[in-house]
Amino acid sequence: FLCTLVTTPRRRCCEKMVLFNYYYVFVFLALVLYGYKVNAFASPSIPPPPSLSLPVWSLACPLSPTTVPDDNNINDSMEKYQTSMNIVTYAMPVTVAPPKLWAVSLYKNTLTRRAFLDCKLGILQLLSPHQSRLVPVLGKRSGLEVGGFSKRTACADLNVSWRRYSDCCCSSLLESNNNLSNDNTMLWRTMDILPQCQSYVHLKLLSTLDAGDHDVALCEVLATGVWLHPTNQLSILGLDDMPMEPKDCTSVLYTGQLRQEGII
């Protein structure tokens, strides 16, 4: 073969072209194999699961002065900032037998998450269908905005005034519940809640799991409350009370309604 290349210039030129073609084919195959190797270790594109219609919950937490960021230029009295509220991404029970445990998904860049991690107490409020207009305020704005943003004031502008927990919850019920009393009594008394929600699940934070842009909070249920429309008060359910009736989209706000209204 080498002799042929040396002795026959015409054939030598043809053989060089063939060699160059083999060289380019080799480079192409190498690039393909390299790309295959890179893609094999890369995270594949996973299509999203189907959108589900889920209940909409708002988490209310006692807010301490140390939780409010200093760079927000907040000069108002702490009376305005004793409660932080936000729409949680997901919330659901994870156990059946006592202790009742719930998992709550918390978006990281929120003041409510900070407050919940600080005080480790909060109330999940199950919204009613007519409260869908509160979702843009509670879920799309943040108390961490520069200059401060008052969700309390924004809700009041929508004719929904937050209620002080101690004013709308019977004090005897609060003090008779061992889970809510003791060192936690003052925290419950100083926070606010949304009136006319379908359920009020009192939570104690047990632990958190880093889930990327969210934290998954494992919580213990301390008590459950219902709103009494005739008296316009919150009632804490006792062991002797009848269990709550099952609820559906006729009485509870679901994300399906939010999609229909163009909110999400």
Side-chain angles (χ1 to χ4, degrees):
F1 176 74
L2 293 176
C3 294
T4 305
L5 288 177
V6 174
T7 56
T8 57
R10 189 173 182 179
R11 185 173 296 179
R12 180 178 62 188
C13 181
C14 293
E15 293 294 342
K16 283 185 177 180
M17 293 179 63
V18 171
L19 289 175
F20 275 109
N21 288 336
Y22 280 136
Y23 170 77
Y24 285 121
V25 170
F26 173 80
V27 172
F28 175 77
L29 290 176
L31 291 175
V32 171
L33 292 175
Y34 175 77
Y36 174 79
K37 182 178 179 180
V38 171
N39 291 331
F41 289 96
S43 298
S45 178
I46 301 176
S51 298
L52 302 177
S53 186
L54 302 172
V56 180
W57 296 87
S58 172
L59 179 63
C61 300
L63 186 60
S64 65
T66 57
T67 308
V68 180
D70 295 333
D71 56 352
N72 277 28
N73 299 320
I74 297 176
N75 298 319
D76 302 78
S77 65
M78 279 307 300
E79 176 73 15
K80 184 177 179 181
Y81 297 100
Q82 288 183 338
T83 302
S84 180
M85 289 191 195
N86 196 28
I87 299 296
V88 299
T89 307
Y90 301 104
M92 64 179 299
V94 293
T95 62
V96 177
K100 301 289 186 180
L101 301 181
W102 276 55
V104 180
S105 181
L106 304 173
Y107 192 69
K108 285 187 175 179
N109 192 29
T110 61
L111 186 59
T112 303
R113 170 188 169 273
R114 291 188 182 183
F116 194 39
L117 296 183
D118 284 348
C119 69
K120 296 179 172 49
L121 293 174
I123 299 178
L124 273 179
Q125 306 167 116
L126 182 57
L127 301 191
S128 302
H130 72 275
Q131 295 174 321
S132 62
R133 57 201 174 104
L134 302 179
V135 172
V137 172
L138 298 177
K140 296 185 177 183
R141 301 295 301 271
S142 174
L144 294 178
E145 296 177 16
V146 176
F149 175 74
S150 174
K151 295 185 178 182
R152 177 203 295 269
T153 301
C155 288
D157 292 340
L158 296 173
N159 297 319
V160 179
S161 298
W162 296 7
R163 294 281 305 276
R164 183 56 54 89
Y165 187 94
S166 58
D167 294 339
C168 60
C169 180
C170 179
S171 59
S172 61
L173 293 176
L174 177 63
E175 294 171 356
S176 63
N177 190 308
N178 293 330
N179 291 330
L180 301 181
S181 59
N182 301 326
D183 296 336
N184 302 329
T185 303
M186 185 55 64
L187 289 175
W188 298 120
R189 289 183 181 279
T190 57
M191 67 177 294
D192 298 300
I193 59 174
L194 285 175
Q196 299 181 0
C197 291
Q198 291 298 312
S199 181
Y200 299 84
V201 183
H202 298 58
L203 299 177
K204 179 178 70 174
L205 178 63
L206 299 180
S207 63
T208 59
L209 173 66
D210 188 352
D213 58 354
H214 282 68
D215 281 331
V216 178
L218 183 64
C219 310
E220 180 182 355
V221 176
L222 301 179
T224 302
V226 295
W227 192 262
L228 303 179
H229 292 274
T231 60
N232 208 27
Q233 284 189 317
L234 173 66
S235 175
I236 305 299
L237 298 180
L239 295 177
D240 297 331
D241 293 326
M242 293 291 294
M244 297 179 63
E245 296 181 358
K247 297 182 180 295
D248 54 25
C249 59
T250 60
S251 58
V252 171
L253 177 62
Y254 276 74
T255 53
Q257 177 182 335
L258 298 181
R259 293 189 186 93
Q260 293 176 356
E261 297 179 2
I263 297 176
I264 61 174

